[in-house]
Amino acid sequence: MRMTKFVKCVALGIAALGVLAAAGCGEQAAKGDNKTYKVGIVQLVEHSSLDDANRGFVDGLKARGYEEGKNLTIDRQNAQADQSNLQNIVQRFISDKVDLICAIATPAVQSAANATKDIPIVGTAVTDYVSAKVVKSNEAPGGNVTGTSDLTPIAEQIDLLRKLYPNAKTIGTIYSSSEVNSEIQVKAMKEYAESKGLTVRVATISTVNDIQQAAQSIINDVDVFYEPTDNVIASAMPTLTSVTDPAGKGVICGYVGGVTAGALATKGIDYYKLGVQTGDMAADILEGKAKPADMKIETAHDLVVVINKKNAEKIGLTIPADVMDGATIVP
């Protein structure tokens, strides 16, 4: 009799554990463990910052349990800075019924947002989603688009420029006239620089082929250059520095990749970490924890001062000790 009661108790205990295990499996399934998700990544153009954001996005998804070859298929596409390519790539994603689109750079997120109102879109390396007309507001996007912004700390970057060039009177800047993100940054930079008594000379370009001529047109009238997170310039920073270096004039830019590519310095964004942030947001969408309409646009969590020591030596500039202190040095 006592043994029978004991057996019954054991049986009940096993049944209870079974229920808990089943509940746990159901929770895992809700996270997508039993489904292979399809994600399309469309990148505007190949350059270090966007490449880093792309890599970070994939690693951010992996950190949340979404891994290629297990429960995730990724279709990676690069538009090579061609608008028609962007449109074709996004249409391919729609036809393939991807579960989510990651759009890297402003033109990419605009193309994706114009093509579909149903598939969730997360953007990264996008300066201003509102000005790009892909969300209603940064706090409440209201549609199928959300993501991370690479809006740089322009005032802090100009302050860095002033520390490096305390006697500077005129700043030169070159940017692509077709990039709304660059226009926003240059406008903000001009307002802040002029409030500090600096003059700004601007030259606009359409393609990489225009960079050298644009730089030469203003090189003699400026003391130093400032470059925003412009995709055309970013894809060809050595072309710009081929003009600025011989003239002994540094380039302060809005992103870390520009410094590793030859510019002098930045206080800017680590695009890999920005990509990881974006991947984390995408994971929330895939898990059903949030919808793009309700997910506010996030900005970069981490900023870093980066100095290109070799470039400083090349242009004959001595970096102040207070700037070097705590900075990341590119040898």
Side-chain angles (χ1 to χ4, degrees):
M1 193 73 171
R2 287 178 182 176
M3 182 62 72
T4 303
K5 286 182 178 180
F6 175 76
V7 171
K8 285 182 178 179
C9 287
V10 171
L12 287 170
I14 292 171
L17 288 172
V19 170
L20 288 173
C25 290
E27 189 175 324
Q28 288 181 338
K31 291 183 178 181
D33 289 355
N34 295 331
K35 173 183 175 180
T36 297
Y37 284 84
K38 292 195 292 185
V39 170
I41 302 177
V42 54
Q43 181 174 322
L44 173 64
V45 68
E46 183 178 353
H47 65 69
S48 60
S49 296
L50 301 190
D51 294 346
D52 286 347
N54 193 326
R55 185 167 51 89
F57 173 75
V58 175
D59 287 351
L61 281 174
K62 185 177 180 180
R64 291 285 298 273
Y66 295 92
E67 186 174 355
E68 285 185 276
K70 292 184 178 179
N71 59 355
L72 181 66
T73 300
I74 299 178
D75 185 357
R76 296 174 176 83
Q77 297 294 324
N78 191 305
Q80 303 299 330
D82 186 290
Q83 188 63 40
S84 62
N85 284 347
L86 284 174
Q87 294 169 358
N88 291 337
I89 290 167
V90 174
Q91 287 301 325
R92 168 178 167 169
F93 292 163
I94 294 170
S95 297
D96 289 346
K97 297 180 180 180
V98 298
D99 296 291
L100 181 140
I101 294 172
C102 175
I104 305 177
T106 301
V109 79
Q110 287 174 317
S111 291
N114 288 336
T116 177
K117 304 300 179 188
D118 300 317
I119 299 172
I121 299 166
V122 289
T124 190
V126 177
T127 301
D128 189 337
Y129 288 76
V130 176
S131 295
K133 300 180 180 179
V134 295
V135 301
K136 292 180 180 178
S137 74
N138 289 327
E139 291 298 320
N144 63 322
V145 178
T146 188
T148 56
S149 168
D150 65 355
L151 183 62
T152 59
I154 291 169
E156 294 177 56
Q157 290 168 353
I158 296 302
D159 288 343
L160 174 63
L161 179 151
R162 293 171 67 214
K163 285 184 178 181
L164 295 170
Y165 285 85
N167 298 318
K169 303 294 183 184
T170 306
I171 299 173
T173 189
I174 301 169
Y175 72 95
S176 171
S177 56
S178 64
E179 293 192 34
V180 63
N181 52 298
S182 300
E183 290 180 358
I184 292 165
Q185 293 173 79
V186 170
K187 180 181 178 182
M189 183 273 288
K190 283 186 66 178
E191 290 176 355
Y192 185 76
E194 288 171 358
S195 76
K196 299 299 180 181
L198 295 164
T199 300
V200 177
R201 286 288 309 274
V202 175
T204 59
I205 57 173
S206 297
T207 70
V208 169
N209 297 329
D210 302 329
I211 294 174
Q212 193 169 51
Q213 183 177 349
Q216 289 171 341
S217 72
I218 62 174
I219 191 75
N220 294 324
D221 300 324
V222 305
D223 301 302
V224 58
F225 281 77
Y226 172 82
E227 291 304 322
T229 54
D230 182 277
N231 290 296
V232 176
I233 293 291
S235 67
M237 180 60 74
T239 302
L240 176 59
T241 56
S242 72
V243 178
T244 59
D245 283 355
K249 297 175 181 180
V251 177
I252 283 70
C253 58
Y255 52 101
V256 173
V259 181
T260 57
L264 174 63
T266 189
K267 182 171 185 178
I269 290 169
D270 184 326
Y271 275 82
Y272 173 79
K273 291 183 179 179
L274 191 70
V276 172
Q277 240 179 284
T278 313
D280 197 50
M281 296 178 74
D284 282 344
I285 294 169
L286 294 178
E287 289 178 13
K289 288 183 176 179
K291 295 181 179 179
D294 307 317
M295 300 173 73
K296 70 177 184 179
I297 303 301
E298 296 186 10
T299 53
H301 293 162
D302 300 302
L303 298 173
V304 61
V305 174
V306 181
I307 303 293
N308 188 325
K309 188 176 180 181
K310 186 175 181 180
N311 183 254
E313 293 170 352
K314 184 183 292 186
I315 63 177
L317 182 72
T318 300
I319 306 295
D322 64 329
V323 175
M324 291 289 284
D325 186 31
T328 297
I329 308 301
V330 175

